[in-house]
Amino acid sequence: MRYLLSDIAKIVGGRLVGCDLEVASVATDSRSYALTPDTLFVAMRGVNHDAHDHLSEVEERGVKAFVVEHDIAPSEGCGAVVVENSLSALQTLAKYNRKQFDGKVVAITGSNGKTTVKEWIAQCAPSEIKIFRSPRSYNSQLGVALSLLMLDNSYDVAIIEAGISQRDEMERLRAMIEPDMVIFTSIGDAHAQGFASLEEKISEKLLLAQNAPNIIYHSAYSELANSILTTYHDRNLADAASAKTLHRGNDASQRNAQLVATFFAEMGCAEPYFSQLQPVAMRLEVKQGIKNSIIIDDSYSADLTSLSIALDNLRSVAAQRKTMLILSDILQSDEGVCKKIAYIVSQANIDHFVGIGKGLAEHHLLFAPNSTFFASVEEALANISKLDIANHAILIKGNRTSRMERISHRLEQHSHTTVLEVDLQAMVRNINYFRSKIGSSTRLVAMVKASGYGAGETEVAQMLQKQGVAYLAVAFADEGVALREGGITMPIVVLNADDASFDTMITHSLEPEIYSFRSLSSFVQAVERAGERNYPIHLKIDSGMHRLGFAESDVAQLNNELARTSQSVRVASIFTHLCVADDSAQDDFSKEQISKFDRISSAIMASLSYRPLRHAAASEAMLRFEEARFDMCRLGIGLYGFSTTAGEELEPVSTLRTRIVQIRTLHECDTIGYGRNGKITKVSRIATIPVGYADGLNRHLGNGAWEMIVGGKRAKTIGNICMDSCMIDITDIEGIEEGDEVTIFSAERGNTAADMASVLGTIPYEILTSVAKRVKRIYINE
């Protein structure tokens, strides 16, 4: 895109103030590293932020052109377009820019597989067809607009993802994209919370093809296919089920390959060569690295747009660590491209830049002195021990042919084949679900104790801090100290605070739960020793659980003590725990607890000259008892995707995966494992996987008690669970080979941590917190 502000004002119905400047790109995040002198910064308002508050910061970084929602007096040399709604204006401009595009626009929608199909098309495209594809997660109301504004007529085909999560969203996307072709991938339960039924979801998705002459679908998704055939029978319809491909994979992967093959057939191109496909990194992956480093693995994608997006992600996870970018040549890394890379890197204030490839090495003088260059990945691997990576956050990016994943593997802390994958965006959606139920005025305290319920405390806390959660809660002071060392600055409550940790807590600005007169007295002494005043504390009330807390009979004495120590400590919150909030048969007891807490906390607040926050409801109670919400609610297991009340409205965020290390054929009368409890009754194929009870896989899940997912099918355990491995029966699953992936638990129905807990007669908490530290954690983010 390239527009004058005066043109933009006419296109979007806005009003120009200040200078009439030419712009060539758009940004909406004031923290983005993509800000350049010819950027148009569009200031938008959100639930937890208002970009208008950061206009001066953006201007300091060289931006001079803005879209704003209220009158401003632009600085000298700056200009702005004043509009009523910034997002609507951006979408209108995107719609206009799409109309200027002379190539074919292809839209992809579906519950799953959108990114895979898009990336495979880009990988398989003939060299003579130049394809633009929307960046990684740009499929929302904002993301689609930003994608379309990147379009110009140097491309032949534009592939745009379109994602929706509720009714009335698709029509706005369709109006912007106006696709010439629509590819429908799958239909399922993903992101289904905003729809009354699957039929309503399908109906909404079909709107994308309202004016599209060409539609590709797969009849394996029968409900979707039938709706397409009924609604758009007069179009050019192509069923991908008839496509023949040489791609090997599970059912979903095969169908995605058939959709890709059908696309190229409809375009008049030869059948794609799937054997050369590179893995598709669906989201940025964050891994623990050696020497206390963090690795952001984006080793299969390298272009200027995705580089800026990935650097933004690097900033968000780096916290107090130094930053390093390891980048391969972007294809055709000529001088012009290298200049742009050098500018983006300098804007990002990267502490150490490592360039790999002949193009970057040839133009090394364009980069700052804190840079290192290698002519190839092989040369980099030979010298990687010379890089100072300790305490760095390291972003690794590469083009498809460079095989930069070898560098990522070399720097990872754990080589264990088994990984726990944590979807941070699913957590965000879970947070938003609870916020939609309790209202914007009720604050949230998020539980990140026990290493974030096994998900990892620092990475989860960074996301929660960004989401505007009011407090974090940990069990012990050591957990809070680790968060502070990881760069977490928001308030942190320590729930199991003890005398021995009080001095450490004050040093790291951690706030204690106070549950007895002894703990109050000891903490006041610690505060006075440190010379602090008005230090925040959180009073625990025993309303019926009888674990910890002040009783109703303690209120008079407690009020006296708080008055006596008012210069030292301040009550930040008063709270209690409900012990049977998830059991409807005991609702009378829960209501009695809520009433008792209200009475006790009110009596305490009456003696104070200020108003503390009150909270009684955790995940289940905040959904079931409106009267328990008070000022704040505690989000625990619900954050991680489990709730009896919410059911499938939440998304489990953790997936435990491994790979098959050996497959053997066994015969009748053979036995498997310790105790010979796995007995073979017919010729069978048995796979061994490297996960056992030392990794958190309970021994009671052996001998067929649990099913894992292999190649899209379910495989039962056979024999006893060993310390470091176990065996599964894959006899009836065709096409499985050594190295294939096995899902131990996931978000899939029948395979969740809650399902595993049900088999074991326990609760999801125990399953999640049992995953051993030696299992590598990978954090995925949009």
Side-chain angles (χ1 to χ4, degrees), residues 124-251:
C124 295
S127 58
E128 63 269 18
I129 298 179
K130 190 169 183 184
I131 289 184
F132 169 86
R133 62 193 191 278
S134 54
R136 185 182 307 275
S137 59
Y138 279 33
N139 60 18
S140 64
Q141 298 294 319
L142 174 60
V144 167
L146 293 173
S147 297
L148 292 171
L149 286 167
M150 297 174 193
L151 270 183
D152 61 48
N153 282 316
S154 65
Y155 299 101
D156 303 304
V157 178
I159 306 177
I160 309 294
E161 280 189 53
I164 56 173
S165 57
Q166 59 188 27
R167 294 176 55 188
D168 303 324
E169 287 188 324
M170 188 60 87
E171 175 54 29
R172 294 197 296 276
L173 297 183
R174 182 208 62 77
M176 284 190 283
I177 303 170
E178 278 295 355
D180 302 297
M181 176 186 289
V182 175
I183 300 175
F184 290 95
T185 58
S186 65
I187 194 72
D189 295 330
H191 316 306
Q193 296 96 326
F195 303 96
S197 63
L198 182 63
E199 292 75 17
E200 183 179 83
K201 185 178 181 181
I202 291 173
S203 178
E204 182 75 12
K205 285 191 175 290
L206 257 58
L207 290 175
L208 183 60
Q210 185 172 301
N211 299 324
N214 302 290
I215 299 172
I216 297 174
Y217 67 99
H218 201 297
S219 55
Y221 306 106
S222 56
E223 299 97 331
L224 177 62
N226 291 336
S227 295
I228 290 171
L229 291 169
T230 301
T231 307
Y232 294 126
H233 56 85
D234 57 337
R235 311 293 174 82
N236 177 29
L237 303 179
D239 182 1
S242 60
K244 307 219 180 295
T245 75
L246 298 176
H247 176 68
R248 188 182 74 81
N250 58 33
D251 290 346

Side-chain angles (χ1 to χ4, degrees), residues 1 97 119 322 360 367 381 385 392 424 683 687 714 782:
M1 61 166 274
N97 197 62
E119 294 298 322
K322 292 183 177 181
L360 288 167
F367 293 84
L381 287 168
S385 61
H392 277 69
L424 297 179
V683 176
R714 296 182 183 272
E782 298 292 354

Side-chain angles (χ1 to χ4, degrees), residues 288-301:
Q288 293 298 320
I290 59 175
K291 299 182 180 180
N292 196 37
S293 64
I294 292 177
I295 311 299
I296 302 177
D297 188 354
D298 195 19
S299 54
Y300 297 107
S301 173

Side-chain angles (χ1 to χ4, degrees), residues 711-773:
K713 305 292 176 57
R714 296 182 183 272
K716 287 189 175 184
T717 57
I718 185 167
N720 289 344
I721 304 292
C722 307
M723 178 181 284
D724 307 303
S725 61
C726 67
M727 285 65 72
I728 54 175
D729 188 340
I730 58 169
T731 305
D732 299 324
I733 308 176
E734 295 182 1
I736 301 303
E737 298 179 3
E738 291 178 359
D740 283 357
E741 185 177 85
V742 178
T743 302
I744 300 154
F745 64 70
S746 66
E748 184 170 328
R749 192 175 302 168
N751 184 243
T752 68
D755 297 318
M756 184 179 284
S758 179
V759 169
L760 294 171
T762 184
I763 54 178
Y765 295 78
E766 182 176 348
I767 304 302
L768 297 176
T769 58
S770 294
V771 179
K773 283 285 189 182

Side-chain angles (χ1 to χ4, degrees), residues 639-656:
L639 174 63
Y640 303 91
F642 299 100
S643 165
T644 304
T645 304
E648 294 179 11
E649 296 291 324
L650 298 178
E651 300 177 51
V653 305
S654 297
T655 300
L656 188 61

Side-chain angles (χ1 to χ4, degrees), residues 495-551:
L495 297 177
N496 290 342
D498 58 68
D499 298 12
S501 65
F502 284 162
D503 291 331
T504 297
M505 290 178 58
I506 294 170
T507 299
H508 292 87
S509 299
L510 306 174
E511 304 175 17
E513 168 191 304
I514 298 297
Y515 50 83
S516 68
F517 292 111
R518 180 175 176 275
S519 65
L520 176 59
S521 175
S522 295
F523 189 73
V524 168
Q525 291 174 34
V527 169
E528 292 172 348
R529 281 197 304 272
E532 295 281 348
R533 291 172 61 86
N534 296 316
Y535 201 97
I537 62 173
H538 301 263
L539 296 181
K540 175 69 173 292
I541 303 302
D542 179 9
S543 61
M545 179 174 273
H546 302 321
R547 183 172 61 181
L548 291 171
F550 292 100

